[in-house]
Amino acid sequence: MALKFNLTFPMRAVKHYERWIGGAGGLGAVARVVEDAGFDAVSMSEHPYPDRKWLANGGHHAFDPFVSLSMMAAATEHLRVITYAMVAGYRSPYLAAKSAASLDLLSGGRLTLGMAAGYLQTEFKALGADFGRRGKLLDEAIAAMRATWAGEEHHGPEYGVEGHLTLPGPAQPGGPPIWIGGNSAAAQRRARELADGWMPMAQSAQMAEITRTPPLTDLATLRRMVREQNAHRADAGNPRADISFVTFENHLLRRADVTAFCDALEPRLDDYADAGVTWITIEPASRSFADFQADVTTLGRRLLKH
């Protein structure tokens, strides 16, 4: 299976978006650049109300994923749009189901719903969300959303309701594919039992302390984890998972060195595919929209031929 490629909007661009975008025409223009370069998808992160200390120590802002991805979908024809990743505990699953169904229908069935339990405890507190039970609530939120998309009622202990219905539903039968983010045993279990894909995270032990999910530092470990994921899915009679991965080489992009990134990643693409990765996710650190155009063009020319 050929690798597919997802480009995440540069998270560092959000804080200074007006200056970054200049007179380029907004996120629609961004999405057209991504589509024209040959990418299969574009994605947006989520942090609605992060704390100042986290921001000062490497954290980032983000646009609302549903609003921003709607604008990107409206400006393109084939590009998939991905929440990378929506934190389930920040909103009612019924509001999330409505937003996802609306975006999926209005985009012609192009949404992939990346979801995660989340890790920023201060943000949960600011939003009045339950940090301690975030994993358990994510499990039930997925069930509630799938029931909503099917026009059925959900009868779980936290989100069970009767006598309600929301229309219209999503374009994709059964709703948009759900991918689960995180390296923990709980995230891996959630991905194989409740979802269609998995988004493991390449990260050092130091970063793992911040994100509260185990480190992942080498391709051999990733290969083993993907093999185990798909073996569990096969035992349950489920198809192989989509595996979306931000590569180990991505640190080169943090220095805005696209050429060095391509030089390092290009010869390893077949290794990632052999390890079971189906989607490569790339986040450039372009300092302006003009730089972004040049960077994405280079990425497309160097990598997407695969």
Side-chain angles (χ1 to χ4, degrees):
M1 181 183 296
L3 283 169
K4 294 184 178 181
F5 290 83
N6 164 48
L7 188 133
T8 294
F9 182 75
M11 289 180 279
R12 297 299 184 267
V14 177
K15 181 178 179 180
H16 303 293
Y17 175 73
E18 294 89 346
R19 185 175 70 205
W20 186 91
I21 196 69
L27 288 178
V30 170
R32 286 190 294 273
V33 168
V34 176
E35 184 170 67
D36 290 346
F39 279 83
D40 300 283
V42 66
S43 58
M44 190 68 67
S45 180
E46 172 165 68
H47 274 293
Y49 207 35
D51 70 90
R52 295 176 184 270
K53 181 178 179 181
W54 180 76
L55 291 168
N57 286 278
H60 63 89
H61 294 281
F63 287 116
D64 178 276
F66 294 107
V67 172
S68 55
L69 292 174
S70 294
M71 299 188 70
M72 291 174 142
T76 54
E77 295 182 8
H78 309 293
L79 199 66
R80 290 197 69 82
V81 291
I82 306 175
T83 57
Y84 212 97
M86 184 196 90
V87 180
Y90 288 170
R91 55 177 65 74
S92 156
Y94 300 112
L95 285 175
K98 169 56 78 173
S99 295
S102 298
L103 177 51
D104 191 59
L105 180 63
L106 296 175
S107 68
R110 288 189 277 151
L111 173 64
T112 295
L113 193 64
M115 301 176 69
Y119 64 87
L120 193 54
Q121 186 170 5
T122 54
E123 194 167 44
F124 273 80
K125 183 177 180 180
L127 297 171
D130 190 335
F131 182 79
R133 296 193 303 150
R134 65 195 186 282
K136 179 180 179 180
L137 294 177
L138 171 54
D139 287 350
E140 190 177 340
I142 293 172
M145 292 171 71
R146 289 198 189 279
T148 301
W149 294 331
E152 301 170 354
E153 294 178 347
H154 171 69
H155 300 290
E158 297 291 337
Y159 300 125
V161 294
E162 294 182 357
H164 291 260
L165 176 70
T166 180
L167 293 173
Q172 297 177 86
I178 292 176
W179 294 354
I180 298 296
N183 301 349
S184 68
Q188 294 182 59
R189 187 270 309 162
R190 194 170 288 123
R192 66 177 178 259
E193 293 180 1
L194 304 177
D196 308 288
W198 181 37
M199 303 178 292
M201 301 166 60
Q203 59 178 4
S204 65
Q206 181 180 10
M207 183 58 66
E209 290 291 324
I210 298 173
T211 62
R212 300 171 183 260
T213 197
L216 175 53
T217 59
D218 61 86
L219 190 60
T221 302
L222 175 64
R223 184 190 308 272
R224 173 184 55 78
M225 294 168 74
V226 173
R227 185 184 302 119
E228 291 173 356
Q229 173 75 207
N230 284 321
H232 282 293
R233 293 178 70 90
D235 290 344
N238 295 324
R240 294 170 66 87
D242 264 317
I243 306 293
S244 181
F245 191 65
V246 178
T247 68
F248 298 110
E249 294 77 17
N250 204 69
H251 68 280
L252 296 169
L253 287 178
R254 299 190 191 111
R255 302 199 296 266
D257 195 340
V258 173
T259 298
F261 171 76
C262 291
D263 288 345
L265 178 58
E266 188 175 13
R268 298 190 72 194
L269 287 174
D270 288 341
D271 294 330
Y272 280 107
D274 184 64
V277 173
T278 59
W279 284 79
I280 295 289
T281 288
I282 298 171
E283 183 203 341
S286 314
R287 295 186 173 94
S288 68
F289 179 70
D291 289 345
F292 179 81
Q293 289 177 294
D295 291 344
V296 172
T297 298
T298 298
L299 291 167
R301 186 181 70 251
R302 291 286 306 275
L303 304 176
L304 272 57
K305 62 186 178 183
H306 292 261

